[in-house]
Amino acid sequence: EGAAPCGDEVIEMETFDGDIPGEFDAVACVGVKGRSRVIVDAAKRQGVGVVYVDKGYFRYHQSKERGHWRVSIGGFQPTAFVRDAKCSRDRWRRLGVGVVAPRTSPGAYIILAGKSLKYHLFAGLPHPTEYAKKLVRDIRRYTNLPIIYRPKPSWGEAEPIPGTVYSPPEQRLDGLLPTAHALVTHGSAASIEALIFGIPSIVLGLDVAALVSDTQLSAVANPSFPSLAVREQFLHNLAHCQWTEEEMRSGEAWRHIVSQLAVLAEDKE
């Protein structure tokens, strides 16, 4: 609906056989399920722009009625845009999310934030439980702090891991963060929550928060945290990468998408 007010056309494909037919300016996919990985790879192979849509970054602070959808141009995360942009704080302020000062005293434990099987298939990772077990072994090389294993709450096949404290789906992340030492994840919105709560993260993969986090497990004992100015600009930029359904229907989000696709096209020339 949002493309029409801008004079553009969106064609919905019910099946995908591995190649993008015809002349398209971009291809869009929603979430990491199904054939999203195949579609993204085909688009990159054929030189077609990619628009990736998924649940919003700050969804823990929004009701379902006011929920946002994040939009990434050119890949799974809007890393280049968030890294380079100097967005105003208007969209961030509208969210009404308060940030917490960085922790100054040592934390009590490490939070290991896991992901679902479909994410691991998308990212080319081992099974989530096996991957988490390996991370626990690796973390133990650097710290003896307790580890709280928090699988993705919606992943129904999660199970406790020896040597960790299991966090069940009903346990809220915001109840764990205030006394955490650090959060470790391959890629999760939990890293954004940690940033808001003043807790450092170790980001190992597909996560835009890698821009303001350590990216090696060796830093887990003494993780760094961005300055106030860097954290604020990161959040301001990230708020410009998610949109409400109303903003999508009106064309506001589509205009942002088109402008970013134009930038990508210029970079290829």
Side-chain angles (χ1 to χ4, degrees), residues 51-57 69-73 75-78 240-243 248 253 256-257:
V51 180
Y52 180 84
V53 182
D54 209 333
K55 295 176 183 177
Y57 288 108
W69 291 87
R70 69 176 175 91
V71 177
S72 175
I73 314 302
F76 180 66
Q77 294 281 3
H240 281 75
C241 296
Q242 62 170 32
W243 307 86
M248 288 183 165
H256 169 80
I257 292 170

Side-chain angles (χ1 to χ4, degrees), residues 86-188:
K86 297 295 181 183
C87 296
S88 66
R89 60 179 181 175
D90 56 342
R91 291 188 65 82
W92 168 252
R93 291 187 67 180
R94 265 184 262 162
L95 293 172
V97 179
V99 295
V100 179
R103 190 202 63 241
T104 56
S105 58
Y109 45 76
I110 307 294
I111 300 173
L112 175 55
K115 293 291 288 183
S116 65
L117 179 59
K118 65 182 180 180
Y119 172 92
H120 278 243
L121 293 173
F122 181 88
L125 294 173
H127 187 277
T129 301
E130 296 307 312
Y131 181 75
K133 288 179 179 178
K134 181 181 184 304
L135 285 183
V136 169
R137 293 193 297 270
D138 291 342
I139 291 170
R140 279 287 164 258
R141 295 168 54 193
Y142 305 107
T143 179
N144 290 320
L145 282 173
I147 300 173
I148 295 180
Y149 174 48
R150 178 181 169 80
K152 186 177 179 65
S154 61
W155 183 48
E157 300 175 27
E159 60 185 70
I161 291 178
T164 70
V165 177
Y166 183 74
S167 175
E170 61 270 17
Q171 185 173 33
R172 289 178 57 91
L173 180 62
D174 56 10
L176 295 172
L177 284 170
T179 51
H181 176 74
L183 181 139
V184 176
T185 187
H186 186 272
S188 169

